[in-house]
Amino acid sequence: FGDISADYSYEHESFQFTPDIVSKDVTLYRDIQQPVATSVYIIPGSSAGKDSIVDVISWILGDGKSSRLQRRLVDELQLVTSLAVYHVDLFDHALFGILFEPKNVDDITGIHKIIQEEIDDLVRNGFKPGELERAVKNAQVRLYDTFQDLQQQATDIGKYYLATGNPDYIFTYLQEPFDVIGKDVIYLCSQYMRAAVMHKGLVLPITETEKKHWVTLQEESDAQDNVILSSRERDSAVEPANYAKN
């Protein structure tokens, strides 16, 4: 292997994104038994250097049995069979979502409302005793797991260097005082996780009357896949298999 020469003429391409106060609802119908729903917010991307704060918010809201939404929706109200948070960490903009499987489809609107209530309570009243410290420590433990995996460590170093320009980002992850981290958590929630900008997604079981249309769409999709695949025929021999010897 040799060095890869740098292209010093490269300029980062900018993509126009106009923030707006908008909320969108999308419902998909699929051949499933268990409905799935999600609440999603657009938040700053990795280039803002706040992925560590998003990690803390994840532990406060939905990661772990002691998180707010796990306690309220799973244990206390028993409205969902499962709940998870996820972070789609793109460079310029990112998504923060709460994914859940409701016991009753009629409860979905109320569940979205409860999710927003917990976020609003966090912004308005701050942290419960020990909540921030526990979330930070959990986030740090997950980072320590990364340090045990050299490939993942190298990936994160490269990713955050490209995103932030800081080669030491993961080594200074959540090293700030608790009060500084807490202010960042409250700010991010108050600015980007408001009711007016909560997007909602829902996947429902397909009805009997729609199944014939679903089959037609699937056949059209399969035909399109065949057209694409047939244009890329393999002309090289398949390498013979290698078997492990005892």
Side-chain angles (χ1 to χ4, degrees):
F1 296 96
D3 294 336
I4 300 176
S5 300
D7 181 5
Y8 295 103
S9 64
Y10 172 78
E11 294 184 4
H12 180 70
E13 185 176 358
S14 297
F15 298 94
Q16 181 63 30
F17 176 79
T18 304
D20 199 357
I21 303 175
V22 61
S23 175
K24 297 180 181 179
D25 290 23
V26 176
T27 302
L28 300 177
Y29 296 91
R30 294 292 185 266
D31 189 16
I32 60 173
Q33 298 297 319
Q34 172 63 54
V36 181
T38 185
S39 305
V40 183
Y41 305 89
I42 299 175
I43 62 174
S46 296
S47 59
K50 298 300 180 182
D51 281 6
S52 57
I53 302 302
V54 178
D55 203 2
V56 173
I57 294 173
S58 297
W59 282 104
I60 291 173
L61 291 180
D63 271 344
K65 290 292 185 180
S66 61
S67 63
R68 292 186 176 215
L69 295 175
Q70 290 281 354
R71 285 203 311 268
R72 189 168 179 192
L73 291 175
V74 179
D75 299 333
E76 295 176 7
L77 300 177
Q78 298 183 2
L79 294 176
V80 303
T81 57
S82 67
L83 181 142
V85 296
Y86 60 94
H87 177 207
V88 183
D89 50 343
L90 306 178
F91 274 27
D92 295 328
H93 305 280
L95 299 176
F96 182 87
I98 299 98
L99 186 74
F100 58 89
E101 294 182 339
K103 290 185 177 180
N104 191 324
V105 174
D106 296 334
D107 292 331
I108 291 176
T109 299
I111 293 170
H112 285 303
K113 183 178 179 181
I114 290 171
I115 290 171
Q116 191 61 53
E117 285 176 358
E118 289 298 330
I119 295 172
D120 292 343
D121 178 74
L122 175 61
V123 171
R124 190 168 50 248
N125 300 316
F127 306 99
K128 301 180 187 299
E131 184 176 49
L132 176 62
E133 292 79 5
R134 182 170 55 249
V136 171
K137 289 179 180 178
N138 283 329
Q140 290 173 334
V141 168
R142 188 150 59 186
L143 178 66
Y144 297 152
D145 291 338
T146 298
F147 290 152
Q148 302 301 316
D149 185 336
L150 293 180
Q151 181 177 353
Q152 187 59 50
Q153 186 179 154
T155 298
D156 285 353
I157 291 172
K159 168 190 169 182
Y160 286 109
Y161 176 69
L162 290 174
T164 67
N166 179 9
D168 297 320
Y169 181 82
I170 68 169
F171 301 107
T172 57
Y173 200 84
L174 296 175
Q175 295 299 311
E176 301 88 351
F178 284 121
D179 61 331
V180 174
I181 295 173
K183 289 178 181 178
D184 283 345
V185 167
I186 299 298
Y187 176 81
L188 197 151
C189 289
S190 66
Q191 293 299 307
Y192 300 99
M193 299 172 68
R194 312 186 313 276
V197 293
M198 175 199 278
H199 302 281
K200 306 177 188 72
L202 180 60
V203 184
L204 292 176
I206 195 167
T207 62
E208 288 296 328
T209 56
E210 288 294 324
K211 280 191 175 180
K212 62 179 181 180
H213 301 291
W214 166 253
V215 171
T216 300
L217 291 173
Q218 192 62 50
E219 290 173 348
E220 293 176 355
S221 177
D222 291 343
Q224 189 176 44
D225 288 344
N226 289 331
V227 171
I228 295 173
L229 293 174
S230 62
S231 66
R232 294 170 172 79
E233 293 185 4
R234 185 186 184 96
D235 55 10
S236 59
V238 178
E239 184 175 331
N242 290 321
Y243 298 98
K245 297 179 179 180
N246 294 329

